[in-house]
Amino acid sequence: MEFKEAKNKFVQTWGALGSQWGINKTMAQIHALLMVAAEPLSMEDIMEELQISRGNASMNLRALMDWGIIYKEYKPGERREFFTSEKDLDELAVKIAQERSKREIKPALKVLKEVSSSVKGETSAEAKHFTDQTTKLYDFVLKADNMLEKSIEFKDNWLGRLVMKIMK
Amino acid sequence: MEFKEAKNKFVQTWGALGSQWGINKTMAQIHALLMVAAEPLSMEDIMEELQISRGNASMNLRALMDWGIIYKEYKPGERREFFTSEKDLDELAVKIAQERSKREIKPALKVLKEVSSSVKGETSAEAKHFTDQTTKLYDFVLKADNMLEKSIEFKDNWLGRLVMKIMK
DNA sequence: TTGAAGTTTCAAAAATAAATGAAAGTTATT
DNA sequence: AATAACTTTCATTTATTTTTGAAACTTCAA
């Protein structure tokens, strides 16, 4: 396969996969593009390569910066802004994990805490079961989130590295 | 808060969160409902409670069964089918992890493998960088997926339980 | 302080995903 | 083998999300 063809395939497919990840297509495509770009790209470059509008490019570049997985770069003597992606994959994984925890897990914890402790003065089996079940869920999700956080620091300590090795 | 109110809040919010998880609203709501239901529910019950159509209920119940996180149950002397959710949370987590690996990670690996090994006979720095970068990504994602699989078996062995404990 | 080069915003349009409901399909009972 | 109880399918409708593009905004240089 030719380089251009392969690159295109990668960017397109990554975009399609992004949708399943709950990330929009363009955002995933821009990220893919920057991941494999040898040089920082300008917004113009990105619009051109992906055939998207200026507004679309602007909004998704901002979103990616909010996730902390791409960066603005200024070239001396250049007016325009250039963009690069985080290329350290460990760092990328950490950022994605943090962002997903913030967006997906924390809100779940919030509502679980509320509903599990809010049913007062009802004695029906139904109400009892509801409180039980949501409490268990809360504890479980909290534990899972803690593990996610821990595994972020994990690779920096000896035990972590050992376990990683065992896990292959 | 009253039980009914709390239950409603839980089901509604879980549905909204589901969207961010890349799961559709109804699917998440049905699952939430079954998680806190003391008794198995019929399709009729679910339609009624969530105010949704028969078709919608049917399709999402099937999807949840495909994920392996809810079950059909037959009551003696009853023609209708009833549904219950997986209530063992460890088991639930395993099922979700497996499903997400299958749907989100495996396809990513497939495309990475293809594109990382497909650029032939080009010597430009760009092409080189592309092959490098996608190869690294492939290795990384593969490792992550392996860890996910390993962590599924993890809690069943002594080392796993120990590490879990340390992670709190 | 004006204008050129660039970026952001946001209302409207387009694309995509989800929900409806009626018809077709099943299955159990008599 | 007819019918009643229940479930699934899928073409159409509805709702949601994404994209566009033109106007507003910002920043720098002359």
Side-chain angles (χ1 to χ4, degrees):
Chain A
M1 207 187 294
E2 212 186 319
F3 161 59
K4 268 200 157 177
E5 201 185 336
K7 177 164 143 191
N8 211 53
K9 179 173 185 178
F10 172 64
V11 170
Q12 290 305 124
T13 316
W14 213 250
L17 287 173
S19 310
Q20 293 187 314
W21 271 73
I23 286 161
N24 86 43
K25 194 180 65 173
T26 309
M27 189 169 156
Q29 285 180 338
I30 295 177
H31 186 242
L33 189 58
L34 290 174
M35 284 291 290
V36 298
E39 289 291 308
L41 302 180
S42 70
M43 196 159 103
E44 210 71 36
D45 295 336
I46 292 166
M47 286 164 58
E48 165 69 19
E49 183 100 27
L50 301 179
Q51 291 292 303
I52 57 172
S53 71
R54 194 169 289 288
N56 196 5
S58 172
M59 287 171 87
N60 284 297
L61 283 167
R62 165 193 276 284
L64 285 163
M65 292 197 305
D66 289 348
W67 276 64
I69 60 179
I70 71 169
Y71 309 107
K72 255 186 197 168
E73 227 166 70
Y74 298 94
K75 286 196 191 176
E78 269 277 15
R79 180 69 174 286
R80 289 172 302 165
E81 300 170 333
F82 290 80
F83 300 89
T84 5
S85 67
E86 174 62 64
K87 295 233 170 60
D88 176 337
L89 296 180
D90 283 331
E91 200 49 41
L92 177 65
V94 166
K95 295 263 174 74
I96 289 176
Q98 285 176 335
E99 202 63 22
R100 298 198 100 177
S101 164
K102 193 169 82 190
R103 292 170 192 245
E104 299 175 354
I105 302 183
K106 295 299 192 292
L109 281 174
K110 183 160 172 289
V111 63
L112 281 171
K113 188 168 207 166
E114 278 170 29
V115 299
S116 68
S117 60
S118 67
V119 178
K120 296 277 151 49
E122 294 202 43
T123 51
S124 68
E126 264 196 305
K128 177 77 169 43
H129 184 262
F130 174 81
T131 300
D132 259 33
Q133 201 64 13
T134 49
T135 303
K136 273 186 201 147
L137 254 181
Y138 176 77
D139 292 342
F140 189 82
V141 175
L142 185 62
K143 205 177 73 190
D145 190 44
N146 278 334
M147 279 180 49
L148 189 64
E149 266 174 37
K150 289 292 186 315
S151 72
I152 284 169
E153 310 153 12
F154 213 44
K155 60 179 189 318
D156 296 332
N157 65 49
W158 71 269
L159 177 60
R161 281 198 301 281
L162 176 60
V163 173
M164 291 285 170
K165 209 157 260 172
I166 292 166
M167 292 223 238
K168 173 175 177 243
Chain B
M1 206 186 297
E2 212 187 319
F3 161 57
K4 267 201 158 175
E5 202 184 338
K7 177 163 142 191
N8 211 52
K9 180 174 185 179
F10 171 64
V11 170
Q12 289 306 123
T13 317
W14 212 252
L17 288 172
S19 310
Q20 292 187 313
W21 271 73
I23 286 161
N24 86 44
K25 195 181 64 172
T26 308
M27 190 169 153
Q29 285 181 338
I30 294 177
H31 187 242
L33 189 58
L34 290 174
M35 283 292 288
V36 298
E39 289 292 307
L41 301 180
S42 70
M43 197 159 104
E44 209 72 35
D45 294 335
I46 293 165
M47 287 165 57
E48 165 69 19
E49 183 98 27
L50 301 178
Q51 290 292 304
I52 58 173
S53 71
R54 195 169 288 287
N56 195 7
S58 171
M59 286 170 87
N60 284 297
L61 283 167
R62 164 192 278 285
L64 286 164
M65 291 199 303
D66 288 347
W67 277 63
I69 59 180
I70 71 168
Y71 308 108
K72 256 186 194 167
E73 228 167 67
Y74 298 95
K75 288 196 189 176
E78 268 280 14
R79 180 68 173 286
R80 288 173 302 167
E81 299 170 334
F82 290 80
F83 299 89
T84 4
S85 68
E86 174 63 64
K87 295 233 170 60
D88 176 337
L89 296 180
D90 284 330
E91 200 50 40
L92 177 66
V94 166
K95 295 264 174 73
I96 289 176
Q98 286 176 335
E99 202 63 21
R100 297 197 103 179
S101 164
K102 193 169 81 189
R103 293 173 192 243
E104 299 175 354
I105 301 182
K106 295 298 192 292
L109 281 174
K110 183 159 172 290
V111 63
L112 282 170
K113 189 167 206 165
E114 278 171 29
V115 299
S116 68
S117 60
S118 66
V119 178
K120 295 279 152 51
E122 292 201 45
T123 50
S124 68
E126 263 196 306
K128 177 80 170 41
H129 184 262
F130 174 82
T131 300
D132 260 33
Q133 201 64 13
T134 49
T135 303
K136 273 186 201 148
L137 253 180
Y138 176 78
D139 293 342
F140 189 82
V141 175
L142 186 62
K143 206 176 74 189
D145 190 44
N146 278 333
M147 280 179 51
L148 190 64
E149 264 174 38
K150 288 294 186 313
S151 73
I152 284 168
E153 310 153 12
F154 215 44
K155 59 178 191 320
D156 296 332
N157 65 48
W158 71 270
L159 176 60
R161 281 197 301 279
L162 177 61
V163 173
M164 292 286 169
K165 210 157 258 172
I166 293 166
M167 292 224 236
K168 175 179 179 246

